[in-house]
Amino acid sequence: MHTRVADAFKAHPMVNQKHLDLKSMKELPESHAWLSQDGSPSYGSSSSEQVPVINLKDPNAMKLVGHACKTWGVFQVTNHGVPTNLLEEMEAAGRKLFALPIQQKLKAARAPDGVSGYGVARISSFFPKLMWSEGFTIIGSPYEHARKLWPNRYSRFCDVIEGYKHEMNNLAQRLMWLMLGSLGVTTEDVKWDGSQGSCPALQLNSYPACPDPDRAMGLAAHTDSTLLTILYQNNTSGLQAHREGAGWVTVPPIPGALVVNVGDLLHILSNGLYPSVLHRAMVNRTQHRLSVAYLYGPPSNVQISPLSKLTDHVHPPLYRPVTWSEYLGTKAKHFNKALSSVRLCVPLNGFVDANDHSGVPVG
Ligand code: OGA
Ligand code: NI
């Protein structure tokens, strides 16, 4: 995977732009000005439809989660059990990181063939224009990079990250069983255990206030290569989800709530019943927006395929088995066409895949 990503970067040199300090820019540079055919903010419609909000203490939570997954592929959760002060500490830690001078942040820059560290959105290489955002990816321990950012005072940052990952892991496992449980799937039907060797990532995203938000893109339309993603967005709107027939729908920030979305691997496990939702992030003129995504996946070498409980002769498996690491390689190469590249050719018995994004213009 790493080599392919590195090749993709080499094919789209962006060395100079990589060092742009967005916060200091008074005008939108041409390199960041999106045209409508690239999927700029002016593309698509806004809709009055609302992404479901689910109280996890509701006795019907499993049913509600299942319905949200089938119809939207994204929902918000309240009463999720993650302490509010941890969310606030996480946000403060992220703000502190992105507030550092650019030269300092670059000391923890992501290596060209690496995944962890500071840099532009990884999907940038698939688009002709750059995004109005900066990111920090944490896989495994944050110590190595944190020490470069704050040589003498890194332990507080690391403690917050570790605490946050721990809480998110618990919540992610709970959510996965709610999502699968509503399809009648039990722990016995899934051979692997979420606690075994999976290596989830934490993605911190920063979207500085932008002088020309209507022509800028925070994070271009994509699906996540995960089982599920849990996103904490601070009180600034920006996240949009795409729904067939409704277009782009803003997912409004609700204090203390978390956004949960279905990723490509859960789409495969559910044999297409749950759409892996296409989403993107917009920017605004006055506020610095921060978000923290917890990317949850299976152990990296376990074969993921449509669950046998969900397939029969009328509903044949729509996808071939694929491991998380293999899928990440496919995604790095084919981006939004990755799902269709692992799709099997099955005659359509009026059976529609909820996830065919090949017709959606994403740039
Ligand atoms: C992501 C993502 C959305 C946001 O990090 O994968 O979709 O609002 N982020 O930052
Ligand atoms: Ni995403």
Side-chain angles (χ1 to χ4, degrees):
M1 166 207 170
H2 303 345
T3 12
R4 283 184 192 162
V5 169
D7 290 347
F9 276 117
K10 275 179 213 139
H12 299 261
M14 50 171 67
V15 180
N16 296 324
Q17 285 90 339
K18 246 183 153 172
H19 299 258
L20 279 188
D21 186 8
L22 299 179
K23 268 181 300 200
S24 67
M25 318 226 45
K26 301 276 177 285
E27 264 176 43
L28 189 72
E30 263 324 293
S31 54
H32 290 67
W34 288 56
L35 306 166
S36 49
Q37 65 263 36
D38 297 328
S40 84
S42 51
Y43 164 75
S45 59
S46 52
S47 164
S48 57
E49 291 195 60
Q50 292 283 306
V51 167
V53 180
I54 300 171
N55 172 358
L56 286 188
K57 288 206 173 130
D58 190 316
N60 278 324
M62 186 180 277
K63 214 172 129 209
L64 295 168
V65 164
H67 186 253
C69 286
K70 272 191 190 145
T71 51
W72 284 86
V74 60
F75 55 95
Q76 304 211 53
V77 291
T78 59
N79 274 317
H80 44 63
V82 180
T84 311
N85 67 333
L86 185 62
L87 297 176
E88 287 165 357
E89 284 174 70
M90 183 65 238
E91 184 180 337
R95 287 197 179 275
K96 208 170 128 201
L97 189 160
F98 290 114
L100 288 171
I102 183 96
Q103 291 311 328
Q104 191 66 18
K105 287 186 277 198
L106 287 170
K107 289 184 182 161
R110 193 191 289 134
D113 56 352
V115 187
S116 296
Y118 175 79
V120 298
R122 163 135 339 281
I123 60 174
S124 291
S125 53
F126 294 97
F127 297 91
K129 296 290 180 166
L130 290 168
M131 298 173 210
W132 193 263
S133 59
E134 53 187 337
F136 190 81
T137 312
I138 300 166
I139 293 178
S141 167
Y143 282 94
E144 196 195 318
H145 282 117
R147 261 202 296 262
K148 291 178 187 155
L149 295 171
W150 301 283
N152 306 312
R153 303 179 54 226
Y154 54 83
S155 63
R156 179 83 195 114
F157 179 82
C158 294
D159 291 347
V160 173
I161 298 290
E162 296 296 0
Y164 191 81
K165 283 207 297 196
H166 178 76
E167 285 288 332
M168 284 296 141
N169 186 263
N170 290 342
L171 179 60
Q173 291 190 32
R174 221 174 114 205
L175 285 165
M176 201 182 75
W177 292 117
L178 287 173
M179 289 159 138
L180 291 177
S182 72
L183 295 174
V185 174
T186 62
T187 28
E188 284 95 72
D189 300 316
V190 178
K191 310 279 182 305
W192 42 273
D193 169 351
S195 59
Q196 278 171 12
S198 86
C199 187
L202 207 57
Q203 173 68 32
L204 279 57
N205 300 304
S206 154
Y207 306 93
C210 177
D212 195 353
D214 295 340
R215 293 202 301 150
M217 174 67 77
L219 191 59
H222 65 280
T223 61
D224 293 344
S225 314
T226 55
L227 282 169
L228 64 93
T229 302
I230 305 175
L231 185 85
Y232 175 58
Q233 46 173 353
N234 80 295
N235 281 336
T236 308
S237 177
L239 177 66
Q240 293 185 334
H242 192 268
R243 189 178 179 194
E244 221 41 60
W248 289 105
V249 179
T250 297
V251 186
I254 299 175
L258 294 164
V259 182
V260 180
N261 68 266
V262 172
D264 296 348
L265 295 186
L266 188 54
H267 174 76
I268 294 176
L269 271 187
S270 70
N271 203 29
L273 287 173
Y274 289 169
S276 175
V277 69
L278 197 61
H279 56 283
R280 65 183 187 179
M282 302 287 106
V283 293
N284 75 87
R285 198 178 291 276
T286 52
Q287 272 162 316
H288 181 189
R289 178 168 181 270
L290 191 95
S291 73
V292 183
Y294 180 76
L295 307 164
Y296 180 75
S300 62
N301 291 315
V302 167
Q303 297 280 355
I304 297 300
S305 56
L307 291 164
S308 50
K309 218 172 191 170
L310 304 175
T311 59
D312 55 32
H313 63 285
V314 191
H315 306 102
L318 295 175
Y319 296 92
R320 68 170 174 84
V322 65
T323 65
W324 196 15
S325 38
E326 188 198 343
Y327 189 72
L328 286 170
T330 307
K331 188 83 164 214
K333 195 168 169 198
H334 300 293
F335 187 44
N336 280 353
K337 306 251 173 352
L339 259 184
S340 35
S341 82
V342 294
R343 207 187 142 104
L344 296 165
C345 293
V346 209
L348 285 174
N349 300 325
F351 193 73
V352 181
D353 183 359
N355 229 80
D356 188 1
H357 293 311
S358 39
V360 178
V362 288

